[in-house]
Amino acid sequence: MSTESTTELKQILSENATTDADLRKQEAALVKLGEIYRDQQNAAELTNVIKSSRSFMSSTAKAKTAKLIRTLIDHFDHIKDSRDAQMDCLIDNINWAKSDKRVFLRQSLEIRLAGIYYASKDYKAALSLLDGLLKELKRLDDKIILTEVHILESKIYYSTSNIVKSKAALTSARTAANAIYCPPLLQAQLDLQAGILHANDRDWKTAFSYFFETLEGFSSQDDPRAVSALKYMLLCKIMLNLSEDVDAIIQNKMAQRYAGTNLDAMKAIAQAHKNRSLIEFEKALRDYKQELSADQIIKSHLSSLYDTLLESNLLKIIEPYSKVEIDHIANLLSQPINAIEQKLSQMILDKVFYGIIDQGNNCLIVFDPPQEDHLYDTTLDTLKNVTQVVSGLFEKTAALQSV
């Protein structure tokens, strides 16, 4: 777009609209101007357009104004490094909506702002904003918005590792959603959060079914979040030790729509896990760093998987030995000595195997598992029975004396 085009559009917006045709022309100009600044990656000008158009918006219906502002603010998502600008713009428009008594618009923008706080990891600010919103929405009984807020609340609590409150918020979201017709996108978000919480409980089969429902929901609406749901499905199969199923899922017609580096990354992890190879696992993490590390859900579970894989490899190596040098173990696994020593210490403390680390000689001494002596347990059971018999005799004696 040329500079003259933006000037012309601004001129249209500055004119006084006297007819419905003039208003429609200004609405089209406003939308077009927002798209231009989105394409130019110009967050500052987009903010100015939203702010300067308020006088025009005051003459439009409140529902249409809300739609226009939300459309313009959505453009920030396509502008790099615009989170701060979007946050300032949201706060400014929330204050305007309050002063102009546009309740629906204010609520919508506050939910958006809470989402920005969540993305910025400012969980305290996000929860504080949602608390006020929830009290208001429960009085208004707006089930759709209430469901959205509870889902966001569940995500925030999950991110702060407060799993109990995260599950409670998801239950509240489901309760609100069950009272209305739930749109496919909203239902997909519910299923996604349910899958994440079940995965956290290591209930991988249930999590897989929820992620499958999520994938279908997002795919039907061409939502880009479908890729994440598909990755989570593949993760569940890997965690269930069913890495061979990963290829079958990837070859599925629905999955083929999302073919690319994201699926290649999960396929590489599945292959490394199948081969029980730490080297292949680490190579996959390096080669697909963005695809595997950017998503905190994938990252946390892969960290757990890597730990399990390292543990199984260590047990396999030390099995034939009663004494082995730590340097030798580290060389076989191509891992740093400090990391191996730390992991062995943890395994000893967790009683995965019995042994000690001789730091003076830099070696691991492995003991045979101690034989359980059941004599103590049998003796304690016997004494417990004797105590019950003696107590019973005392009770009978006391009863005879009272007679």
Side-chain angles (χ1 to χ4, degrees):
M1 279 289 175
S2 63
T3 307
E4 289 76 20
S5 296
T6 58
T7 305
E8 289 170 7
L9 292 170
K10 287 180 179 178
Q11 180 62 37
I12 293 170
L13 288 172
S14 64
E15 295 170 357
N16 289 325
T18 55
T19 65
D20 289 342
D22 290 338
L23 282 172
R24 286 195 294 272
K25 187 178 179 181
Q26 286 188 329
E27 287 171 20
L30 181 61
V31 171
K32 193 65 179 176
L33 198 56
E35 290 173 351
I36 291 171
Y37 291 130
R38 176 199 65 195
D39 296 339
Q40 291 178 352
Q41 299 286 294
N42 195 334
E45 282 299 328
L46 181 58
T47 302
N48 290 334
V49 165
I50 296 171
K51 188 178 289 188
S52 61
S53 62
R54 284 178 190 160
S55 56
F56 146 68
M57 288 186 185
S58 296
S59 60
T60 63
K62 289 186 176 182
K64 186 172 286 186
T65 299
K67 184 180 179 181
L68 280 170
I69 288 182
R70 288 200 306 271
T71 300
L72 291 169
I73 289 177
D74 283 344
H75 292 330
F76 281 106
D77 293 338
H78 304 281
I79 300 175
K80 292 180 180 178
D81 303 321
S82 64
R83 185 178 290 171
D84 290 340
Q86 183 178 179
M87 199 179 296
D88 292 339
C89 185
L90 282 167
I91 292 170
D92 186 52
N93 279 282
I94 286 168
N95 291 332
W96 172 71
K98 284 179 181 177
S99 63
D100 213 38
K101 296 181 180 178
R102 295 174 182 262
V103 178
F104 179 74
L105 174 60
R106 174 183 58 78
Q107 290 172 346
S108 177
L109 294 178
E110 283 181 342
I111 294 171
R112 181 68 175 260
L113 181 59
I116 297 291
Y117 284 143
Y118 165 67
S120 305
K121 298 184 179 180
D122 189 353
Y123 303 129
K124 186 176 180 181
L127 286 173
S128 176
L129 191 58
L130 290 183
D131 283 343
L133 260 174
L134 283 169
K135 291 175 185 176
E136 189 177 342
L137 291 170
K138 284 173 182 175
R139 288 197 303 270
L140 295 172
D141 200 33
D142 190 329
K143 300 294 187 185
I144 290 283
I145 298 180
L146 195 59
T147 303
E148 292 177 1
V149 172
H150 278 307
I151 291 172
L152 181 55
E153 184 188 23
S154 180
K155 289 179 180 178
I156 294 168
Y157 279 126
Y158 177 82
S159 297
T160 58
S161 299
N162 194 334
I163 304 302
V164 173
K165 285 193 174 182
S166 181
K167 289 179 178 178
L170 182 62
T171 301
S172 299
R174 286 195 175 284
T175 303
N178 287 338
I180 53 164
Y181 164 72
C182 193
L185 272 180
L186 193 59
Q187 184 61 53
Q189 291 178 61
L190 279 167
D191 291 333
L192 179 62
Q193 188 61 16
I196 289 170
L197 287 170
H198 278 286
N200 185 76
D201 292 338
R202 307 190 74 78
D203 183 358
W204 301 109
K205 287 185 178 179
T206 308
F208 178 86
S209 63
Y210 273 116
F211 291 139
F212 181 76
E213 294 293 333
T214 303
L215 176 62
E216 288 192 325
F218 283 146
S219 293
S220 67
Q221 303 296 311
D222 291 323
D223 193 289
R225 287 173 290 184
V227 179
S228 294
L230 181 54
K231 285 167 68 177
Y232 298 158
M233 282 173 59
L234 299 176
L235 176 69
C236 289
K237 286 295 183 182
I238 294 168
M239 300 302 280
L240 285 166
N241 293 320
L242 297 172
S243 298
E244 61 276 5
D245 290 354
V246 169
D247 281 338
I249 294 172
I250 290 175
Q251 296 304 319
N252 183 279
K253 186 177 179 181
M254 185 185 293
Q256 281 297 301
R257 292 172 58 187
Y258 308 103
T261 54
N262 280 294
L263 298 193
D264 292 341
M266 298 308 296
K267 188 175 180 179
I269 290 292
Q271 190 62 44
H273 182 257
K274 186 178 180 180
N275 297 337
R276 295 177 65 186
S277 171
L278 282 171
I279 295 173
E280 289 180 28
F281 197 99
E282 289 175 337
K283 184 177 184 300
L285 291 176
R286 286 194 304 272
D287 293 346
Y288 301 100
K289 186 176 181 181
Q290 180 61 30
E291 290 80 3
L292 298 175
S293 299
D295 189 320
Q296 290 301 313
I297 307 296
I298 295 284
K299 185 179 179 180
S300 63
H301 288 303
L302 286 186
S303 176
S304 172
L305 184 64
Y306 178 83
D307 202 51
T308 304
L309 197 58
L310 176 59
E311 191 171 293
S312 66
N313 273 263
L314 284 170
L315 287 172
K316 187 178 179 181
I317 289 170
I318 67 176
E319 187 178 7
Y321 296 101
S322 59
K323 187 175 183 179
V324 57
E325 291 183 349
I326 294 175
D327 290 3
H328 177 64
I329 300 173
N331 287 333
L332 288 175
L333 293 175
S334 301
Q335 296 292 312
I337 295 171
N338 289 341
I340 294 297
E341 188 173 324
Q342 185 178 354
K343 182 61 183 175
L344 288 170
S345 300
Q346 180 192 331
M347 291 169 69
I348 292 169
L349 290 172
D350 292 342
K351 296 184 179 179
V352 177
F353 71 92
Y354 294 88
I356 59 169
I357 292 176
D358 184 349
Q359 290 185 324
N361 295 313
N362 194 34
C363 65
L364 172 71
I365 301 172
V366 183
F367 302 146
D368 291 330
Q371 296 294 324
E372 289 188 29
D373 190 345
H374 298 288
L375 180 61
Y376 294 110
D377 293 333
T378 306
T379 305
L380 285 171
D381 288 338
T382 303
L383 289 173
K384 183 179 178 181
N385 291 331
V386 169
T387 302
Q388 289 176 348
V389 171
V390 172
S391 297
L393 289 172
F394 271 119
E395 288 173 6
K396 287 180 180 180
T397 303
L400 287 172
Q401 288 177 347
S402 63
V403 174

